[in-house]
Every structure is written in structure tokens, then in C-alpha cells.
Amino acid sequence: MSEQLHSLPAETLTLSDAELAEIDAEIAHAPYRAAVAIDALKIVQAHRRWVSDDCLEALAAYLEMPPAELEGIATFYNLIFRQPVGEKVILVCNSVSCWIKGCEGIRAAVTEHLGIEPGQTTSDGRFTLLPITCLGACDRAPVMMVGDNKFEDVTVERIPAILEQDEGATPG
Amino acid sequence: MSELPLTRNVRADRSPTDLAAYEANGGYGGLRRAMAGLAPGDCLDIVKDSGLRGRGGAGFPTGMKWSFVPMENVSPGHKYLICNADEMEPGTFKDRLLLECDPHQLIEGMILAAYTIGADVAYIFIRAEYLKAAQLLREAIAEAKAKNYLGRDILGSGYHLEMHVHASAGRYICGEETALISSLEGKRANPRAKPPFPQVSGLWGRPTIVNNVETLCNIPHIIERGPEWFQGLGLGGDAGTKLYGVSGRVKNPGCWELPIGTPVREILEDRAGGMEDGYQLRGFLPGGGSTDFLVDEHLDLAMDYETIGKAGSRMGTGTMIILDDRTCPVGFVKNLIEFFAQESCGFCTPCRDGLPWNAQVLDDIEQGRGQLEDMDTLEQHVSYIGAIGNTHCALAPGAMEPLQSALKYFRDDFLRHIEERTCPYREVH
């Protein structure tokens, strides 16, 4: 058994059976393995919150593509994380309808409540704050997401209850 | 009140319509009609005759787009139908309504579109953050499969179709149809040169049609009720209804289905309730962040492709963003240009380098560091980057639209920033 494990490329061991099963399901209806690169990055991220160098290399080997090419894809997209993020990612919309309605104040209130700037993670690992483009709920601006939940008509006063109790959450 | 087919299953609480409720209200009637006796060519003629134009922003006639897909002497392999549900245009929130409230309407429209062009595989490309919509679509696809609306030999017709949901990883340029195809192939979302057009060589080099959510949601009704019925829904030269939206400082921001060609004033005052107390209208973007400003004098225009086009803008997505008198027009445009600069794919120089340059100039002006020459710089960029053909795709020309019209309608605001060396709206923001 151990001999068999050693015969595999070391990097393929990084990905779990569950991850590989989900990736295989995508490959099943793709014309070639590298075609599922984005789905696969999202699957790995769903399991681990972010995509580490080890995971990226293992995934590239599994998809039969150069790691540099997969890195180019991973870093192109706003919501593939190549650095560790907290348990919940906070996305504060900063596009024009939310800007009119004061999203800069919302972002400042989150920063003040958690003590982190955009791009940073709280020291307890609970939250990462990121800016995001228009979330497509402009009639309810300002809008933000915390993890998988969406919050509409956000006010500065609501920020503590939103962050601590998910108050007023609707599915994303 | 005329008929509003797209939102007939939308409830006040925006709860989703499941298969049973959709069928109880006549759902899958269009599909049954087509499978029982309409050839793909018949469906194409019906959609062509209906006058339906693409609802994603460009307004290209849908039937004509489909007619470019080769139907005879095609080399063996797949053809693809893709639904563009990557709704990321700033100020646009209309497709979310259709996706979350009536997923089967979209699926029925996609089956009919795929049947018309002879596609055997369909994808829904949905933006990453629309989690609820993506889940509802996956469930609805499973429901449709169980009823043989999808899969092998649909309703005994001999036609096969499989359908998949692809959730994006987040990038505005994916909404451009050739960039979307690149992304669906697992690559960076760089747009592609045209020709070849996707109808001939799209996803994995095969014939492909990409249509917007709202466009596809019209198809079941058109196939079931016919082109004359559909044309009768519009108020002016265009056919059908349109989802219109309003965001900004209005009393009742929202999204409503109305006859296409409804006057701007009616949308703004009757639906959105007019401006919030203490705010005056200064201008509006008629259809998302990449359309030119219109102002007071345009309020009585009909919201349709021709009329808004003649006024110097575009109907775009039909979701208006309102500029009020207490919001800085320079800051407004700066916000948009920063968005487009960030979301540029980086492939061509005018977009990759030109948009951040504009963002910097606008930031200087907004912060009170602007010079008069900055106005010339902005004008030069508008004429160079804004000209179709100088860039690889339409992102950068679209980004220039709000800027060029702001320079026209709100020039005094730019000059006041430069002269007073501060933002005159500072207390407000």
C-alpha cells in the first residue's frame, strides 16, 4: 500500500477523494481535462476556502496542464483566492448605485468594527473584507454579502448585527 | 393594463415558481407545441417575424442571430446554446428577477432556442455571486429532466438536449459573448476576434449561440402565442415587453416589466415614485454603466432602441441609474471608470492602460488636484478609446460613454472642481 502511494506523483496526494470525485464529474462532460480548470479551482476552493501553491500544482497535474497556465487562470478571476481567507468573506459592493447610496461609509463601518482594511483578514480568522463590483441588487443599495448571505438596504448602524448575528440575511 | 408575460409567475415575495406551479400556469406549452409539430425552421421564422431584439444590451435581432448557425452540411459534432446569466453591468439587476422567480421559463426558452439552432448541449453561464439562482436552476433542470422536457427524445420528438449550469469565478468581461466562450472553455476570459463569429466557430470551435436571460425568457411565449401577439405588446417600433429598472435617489427603486417603448417619465415617476424628497434629477444612464447620460429634456422619450439611440445614448439593459443634484457627477463617472479599468481583461493597450489613466485624471480632478489641460486629456481619450475599432472589444468604448456625455452635460462641474481645487459636493459625500 505504501509503495503504491509513493509511486504516485507527490502532488496528486494533496487533493482529497471528495474533491477529485467532484472534478471528475465535471470532466465527464468536457472535451478535455483542462477545460474544467475554472470549475476545478472553485471545487478546491469550496473545500479549502483558498487555493494554495501545492493545490494549484496538484490540480494542474491532474488536469494535464502547465501550473503557470493554471496560475494565469486562477489570478484572472476576482473570486479565486490565492491567499488564505477567513471563514466568511465580506463583499461590499462599490459600484455606482451603491456608491450613490453611501457604500464608502458602509465599508468604513466594517473596517472600524473588525479592525481590517479591504484585502485583510481578522486575526481570529473569522472574516476577510474584499471590495466587489455591482452585486445586481441595485434597487436595494447599498448591498453587501457575508459568506453566502446577501444583505440589502444596509446602513452603518446595522453593520454590527449583520456581522455578528447575520441579521436580515437573504440567500445570495 | 396590457399583458406582461415575463413576470406573470413573479410573486410579491419573490419566492421561486416550481415546476408544478409553472405548468399550472401554462408552462411548457410552447415546448409542447414545438415538439408536436414545428420544425426548427418554423421556430426560426416565428422568432424572426416576432421582431425580438437581444435584451442583454446590444439589441441585435434574435432571429437573425440564430439564422447564421449552419443547419445543413455541418461537420459531425456538437452545437451549443449558451445563456448569458453573467449579470454584472453596474446598475443592472433585471436578470436576477427572472432567474430567482421563474427558472423554468428560462429553461423552456433555452430548450426551444437550442431546438431551433440544432444544439444538443446547453449551458447557463451564471455569475458567481448569484448562489440562490444557480441552485434553483440546478433543481429546475433536474425537474425538467424527470418530465422528459430535457434529456433523450424530448416528449417523443427524437430531439435530445443536455443542460449544465456553469457558475463563473467573477469577471465583468465574461459578459462579452466571445470572452464568455473563452471562460466556459476554462481559460482566461479574453474576448476573441470576430470573424469567425460564434455562430460558426464558438465554444470549442463549434457553432454556438449566446443569448441573454431576458431574451431567452421571451421565447416560450413567442412560440406559443405567435409573432403578431408579441409585436402587439410594444408601444412603438419595437416588439414585446421589457424589464425596466431604476436605482439611485428615487422613492421606490425597483424593476418592472412594461411594454417596450414606455416613456422614461412614466418609469421614473409612476413606477419609481419620482425623486426622493430633497433631491432633484440631474441626469440618468438609461441602461447600465456603459451608456451615455441623458438629461431632463429626454424624460418624455420612449424607452426603446431607436428613440434612445437617436438621443445619443443606448437603451442598453434598460435599467436606469439616476444622478441627483447632491451627487458629484465627477465622482459618479470616476466610480464607473475605475470599475471598467479594474475589469479590463488587459489584452489590448488602449483599454489596459487608457482606462487607468482616465481613472487617475478623474481622481485628480475630484480631489481638487486637476488642471485645465486634464479636460483635453479626457476629451482625447474619449475620441480615441471611444471609437469602435481601436480596441479589441466593446468594453473600453462602453466605458467612455458615460464620460463623454458627462463632459457634455456636466462640464461646469468638472471646471468648478479645477477652479475651486476641491469637490463642491464634498459635504454630501
Side-chain angles (χ1 to χ4, degrees):
Chain A
M1 180 67 189
S2 64
E3 197 172 305
Q4 193 187 356
L5 279 173
H6 284 292
S7 68
L8 288 165
E11 56 267 30
T12 57
L13 299 176
T14 310
L15 301 175
S16 70
D17 290 344
E19 286 166 310
L20 294 177
E22 288 177 46
I23 294 166
D24 287 344
E26 295 294 331
I27 290 172
H29 61 82
Y32 50 91
R33 299 173 77 84
V36 308
I38 295 164
D39 304 283
L41 286 165
K42 290 192 72 166
I43 288 166
V44 170
Q45 185 163 290
H47 283 265
R48 298 163 192 262
R49 287 196 239 153
W50 69 295
V51 182
S52 66
D53 289 350
D54 286 348
C55 284
L56 188 107
E57 284 186 23
L59 194 52
Y62 195 69
L63 300 180
E64 296 169 358
M65 65 195 295
E69 189 183 338
L70 187 60
E71 173 74 328
I73 294 163
T75 55
F76 184 89
Y77 292 95
N78 297 334
L79 294 172
I80 300 294
F81 306 133
R82 288 285 282 116
Q83 291 177 34
V85 296
E87 286 164 44
K88 289 181 181 174
V89 174
I90 304 168
L91 301 171
V92 179
C93 174
N94 64 7
S95 287
V96 68
S97 300
C98 285
W99 178 79
I100 293 168
K101 292 290 193 85
C103 67
E104 288 174 342
I106 302 300
R107 199 265 301 142
V110 175
T111 290
E112 190 180 335
H113 186 79
L114 297 176
I116 50 170
E117 295 291 330
Q120 295 179 340
T121 301
T122 53
S123 55
D124 61 4
R126 284 175 68 208
F127 295 109
T128 297
L129 172 61
L130 295 174
I132 192 75
T133 58
C134 182
L135 284 170
C138 320
D139 53 339
R140 294 289 163 257
V143 184
M144 63 190 284
M145 289 182 76
V146 180
D148 291 346
N149 288 323
K150 175 166 101 281
F151 299 85
E152 304 178 326
D153 298 313
V154 176
T155 59
V156 167
E157 294 72 33
R158 285 181 58 204
I159 291 298
I162 285 172
L163 295 178
E164 303 304 334
Q165 288 110 39
D166 279 339
E167 199 173 289
T170 54
Chain B
M1 193 71 197
S2 59
E3 209 176 339
L4 304 173
L6 297 178
T7 53
R8 64 179 180 171
N9 292 325
V10 174
R11 305 169 181 136
D13 66 353
R14 293 185 62 147
S15 58
T17 303
D18 65 11
L19 179 60
Y22 184 69
E23 286 178 318
N25 207 6
Y28 287 105
L31 182 67
R32 288 183 185 282
R33 174 165 187 240
M35 294 298 118
L38 293 176
D42 299 331
C43 293
L44 179 64
D45 288 340
I46 292 170
V47 173
K48 268 185 175 170
D49 293 345
S50 76
L52 174 66
R53 296 175 65 170
R55 303 297 198 231
F60 193 83
T62 305
M64 191 190 293
K65 189 179 200 176
W66 292 1
S67 72
F68 299 138
V69 175
M71 296 300 286
E72 287 164 17
N73 303 320
V74 186
S75 60
H78 296 296
K79 285 198 258 182
Y80 297 99
L81 184 274
I82 302 172
C83 170
N84 185 346
D86 194 49
E87 182 167 68
M88 285 184 76
E89 181 74 18
T92 299
F93 49 98
K94 66 180 185 71
D95 293 338
R96 186 197 273 271
L97 183 79
L98 297 171
L99 293 163
E100 291 185 352
C101 298
D102 205 4
H104 280 287
Q105 177 174 243
L106 173 64
I107 290 169
E108 185 183 1
M110 289 181 68
I111 301 166
L112 287 164
Y115 175 69
T116 305
I117 63 165
D120 58 337
V121 183
Y123 288 93
I124 302 171
F125 187 104
I126 188 165
R127 69 173 295 184
E129 298 88 340
Y130 282 12
L131 298 165
K132 177 186 171 188
Q135 186 54 34
L136 287 169
L137 286 166
R138 289 191 185 99
E139 289 166 13
I141 287 170
E143 282 182 317
K145 241 187 220 169
K147 291 291 286 274
N148 191 220
Y149 297 140
L150 275 171
R152 308 287 303 170
D153 191 20
I154 293 171
L155 300 179
S157 65
Y159 173 61
H160 316 304
L161 178 69
E162 58 178 276
M163 191 176 287
H164 307 284
V165 175
H166 172 88
S168 178
R171 204 68 196 266
Y172 170 73
I173 192 59
C174 294
E176 201 276 347
E177 68 175 4
T178 61
L180 185 152
I181 288 168
S182 296
S183 189
L184 204 46
E185 290 180 359
K187 300 172 182 156
R188 293 165 71 95
N190 293 125
R192 300 175 178 184
K194 294 187 272 193
F197 288 89
Q199 289 94 326
V200 178
S201 179
L203 188 64
W204 292 302
R206 301 293 308 169
T208 301
I209 283 288
V210 183
N211 281 137
N212 166 262
V213 172
E214 187 183 348
T215 310
L216 289 163
C217 286
N218 275 294
I219 303 299
H221 308 290
I222 292 172
I223 295 293
E224 194 175 7
R225 312 282 294 274
E228 293 79 17
W229 167 82
F230 188 71
Q231 289 188 341
L233 295 176
L235 290 181
D238 280 314
T241 61
K242 179 79 193 79
L243 292 188
Y244 293 114
V246 180
S247 66
R249 295 281 181 191
V250 292
K251 287 202 182 85
N252 179 33
C255 179
W256 313 273
E257 182 183 13
L258 296 167
I260 197 163
T262 297
V264 175
R265 190 184 295 280
E266 194 177 319
I267 301 167
L268 189 57
E269 292 178 3
D270 297 355
R271 300 289 156 169
M275 300 298 290
E276 271 182 40
D277 294 335
Y279 292 87
Q280 300 284 323
L281 178 85
R282 286 212 65 201
F284 61 96
L285 305 182
S290 54
T291 58
D292 281 273
F293 277 103
L294 294 178
V295 292
D296 266 340
E297 66 191 76
H298 302 114
L299 284 178
D300 291 311
L301 295 182
M303 270 286 269
D304 62 35
Y305 299 101
E306 294 291 321
T307 312
I308 298 299
K310 278 186 192 152
S313 186
R314 293 187 299 118
M315 186 167 79
T317 59
T319 41
M320 308 195 289
I321 310 166
I322 307 298
L323 172 66
D324 61 80
D325 62 339
R326 291 164 66 180
T327 295
C328 175
V330 178
F332 187 112
V333 174
K334 184 183 94 165
N335 178 281
L336 288 169
I337 297 288
E338 283 175 346
F339 165 82
F340 289 112
Q342 178 193 309
E343 295 299 318
S344 167
C345 83
F347 181 88
C348 73
T349 309
C351 183
R352 183 190 60 242
D353 291 353
L355 295 182
W357 186 349
N358 279 279
Q360 182 61 54
V361 171
L362 287 165
D363 187 54
D364 284 344
I365 295 175
E366 207 259 339
Q367 301 285 334
R369 300 187 302 262
Q371 310 288 331
L372 268 178
E373 302 89 86
D374 290 339
M375 298 296 284
D376 299 332
T377 306
L378 293 175
E379 297 280 6
Q380 279 168 5
H381 278 137
V382 162
S383 64
Y384 181 64
I385 304 175
I388 300 286
N390 286 349
T391 54
H392 188 54
C393 80
L395 184 142
M400 290 295 108
E401 290 183 26
L403 175 58
Q404 70 174 7
S405 47
L407 290 170
K408 177 172 150 195
Y409 291 118
F410 312 119
R411 191 171 193 87
D412 288 349
D413 286 281
F414 286 77
L415 296 175
R416 268 189 74 191
H417 281 78
I418 294 170
E419 282 158 17
E420 298 175 18
R421 308 209 67 74
T422 185
C423 174
Y425 297 83
R426 183 98 331 151
E427 308 93 293
V428 185
H429 272 287

